[in-house]
Amino acid sequence: MSARRTTRRLAADAALLVVAAAFVLPLAWVLLSAVDADADLRVKAPEEFTFANFDAVLVPEVTFTPLLNSLILCGCATLLTVVCAALAAYPLSRYRSRTGRAFLATVLFTTCLPITAIMVPVYALFVQVELIDTMHGTILFFAASQLPFAVWLMKNFMDGVPKELEEAAWTDGASPFQSLLRVVLPLMGPGVAVVTVYSFVMMWGNFFVPFMLLLTPEQMPASVSIQDFFGNRGTVVYGQLAAFSVIYSTPVLLLYLLIARRLGAGFALGGAVKG
């Protein structure tokens, strides 16, 4: 039994090492190639350590303008998604109805629709309503595409907030909106953080939507402008591509670090209703 258990443990460790390598190797290539003067597709230590790749990409038209466009698009869309998801999840969590479960199932089903299948009618609609090639139109579609899953997530987190705390606030004269704003949302900080990070990350890495809805090069986000590093006839500037990838990943990492404490926290007043 001991030998069999050791064999299983070694097999599990080997499988975990393979999975870890699948994640570590691409990350190692990005970090090493970003400071390699002769970067290629191989994962290798740089023979000539240099920051020339960063100097080449840290110019307004290559990095700063696309990153600013990405921050505007994803930041505004994430804020809109979180606000709308909280307002939609509150009645689903606090008020029972016969159609509530069917509505949630429908909301969850809409997340299964591939974005490529709906972009043709969306493009035609945006042309008709004159939202094509506009930042606010793309923000609205970003928020609409992320809203179903955000509502479902927010509702599940909101179910964990004791309703008795809201009833105490109602007794003091608070309205349902005030109890949502001052009682429920502060207590479900981890849930709001999860929805925020998930929505922002999904939008940040989205290439297809801004590529279809935005036409002006000056409005393109970084997720689209990254294709400029792929030249003609299959030539790729690997060092500059890796340097841009490092810079492109930084806002997501900073967002996670800023709200990591909220992710690790529980409901601060979860035991307040216990006598």
Side-chain angles (χ1 to χ4, degrees), residues 51-59:
F51 287 104
N53 295 321
F54 288 95
D55 293 335
V57 300
L58 287 175
V59 293

Side-chain angles (χ1 to χ4, degrees), residues 154 157 161 183-196 259 261-268:
M154 193 78 75
F157 281 108
V161 179
V183 178
V184 178
L185 291 180
L187 293 180
M188 55 175 292
V192 176
V194 167
V195 174
T196 300
I259 65 175
R261 292 181 302 174
R262 302 296 293 173
L263 289 172
F267 295 119

Side-chain angles (χ1 to χ4, degrees), residues 189-201:
V192 176
V194 167
V195 174
T196 300
V197 171
Y198 175 82
S199 300
F200 187 86
V201 170

Side-chain angles (χ1 to χ4, degrees), residues 8-250:
R8 290 179 179 177
R9 182 176 299 175
L10 291 176
D13 292 341
L16 290 175
L17 287 175
V18 172
V19 174
F23 286 93
V24 170
L25 287 178
L27 179 60
W29 179 86
V30 170
L31 295 177
L32 294 175
S33 298
V35 293
D36 191 351
D38 300 315
D40 52 28
L41 287 176
R42 295 174 298 172
V43 180
K44 59 184 179 65
E47 297 179 0
E48 181 182 350
F49 189 89
T50 179
F51 287 104
N53 295 321
F54 288 95
D55 293 335
V57 300
L58 287 175
V59 293
E61 62 273 13
V62 175
T63 299
F64 297 130
T65 299
L67 279 180
L68 178 60
N69 293 335
S70 293
L71 289 173
I72 294 174
L73 286 173
C74 301
C76 294
T78 299
L79 178 61
L80 184 60
T81 299
V82 172
V83 171
C84 293
L87 295 176
Y90 183 73
L92 292 173
S93 175
R94 290 302 187 251
Y95 303 104
R96 306 300 178 186
S97 67
R98 297 179 179 178
T99 60
R101 183 171 298 178
F103 179 78
L104 277 177
T106 303
V107 166
L108 193 59
F109 171 76
T110 57
T111 62
C112 302
L113 297 175
I115 197 70
T116 53
I118 63 175
M119 281 310 300
V120 172
V122 167
Y123 183 88
L125 175 63
F126 272 45
V127 171
Q128 293 293 326
V129 298
E130 299 182 354
L131 286 178
I132 198 71
D133 197 27
T134 61
M135 296 287 283
H136 60 276
T138 308
I139 289 172
L140 290 175
F141 183 77
F142 261 148
S145 62
Q146 295 300 321
L147 191 57
F149 194 68
V151 171
W152 186 77
L153 272 180
M154 193 78 75
K155 189 264 181 186
N156 288 335
F157 281 108
M158 201 170 289
D159 288 342
V161 179
K163 191 176 180 180
E164 291 80 0
L165 298 177
E166 283 187 88
E167 293 174 348
W170 294 341
T171 303
D172 293 335
S175 64
F177 180 77
Q178 289 175 326
S179 65
L180 169 65
L181 190 63
R182 299 180 180 180
V183 178
V184 178
L185 291 180
L187 293 180
M188 55 175 292
V192 176
V194 167
V195 174
T196 300
V197 171
Y198 175 82
S199 300
F200 187 86
V201 170
M202 293 300 292
M203 298 172 192
W204 188 259
N206 194 304
F207 168 85
F208 193 60
V209 170
F211 180 75
M212 290 291 295
L213 299 182
L214 295 174
L215 307 177
T216 305
E218 291 75 15
Q219 292 183 334
M220 291 297 179
S223 60
V224 178
S225 67
I226 195 173
Q227 67 175 337
D228 295 338
F229 294 98
F230 296 85
N232 296 325
R233 300 179 182 179
T235 59
V236 183
V237 187
Y238 292 108
Q240 295 181 18
L241 174 62
F244 183 84
S245 300
V246 172
I247 299 171
Y248 178 55
S249 305
T250 301

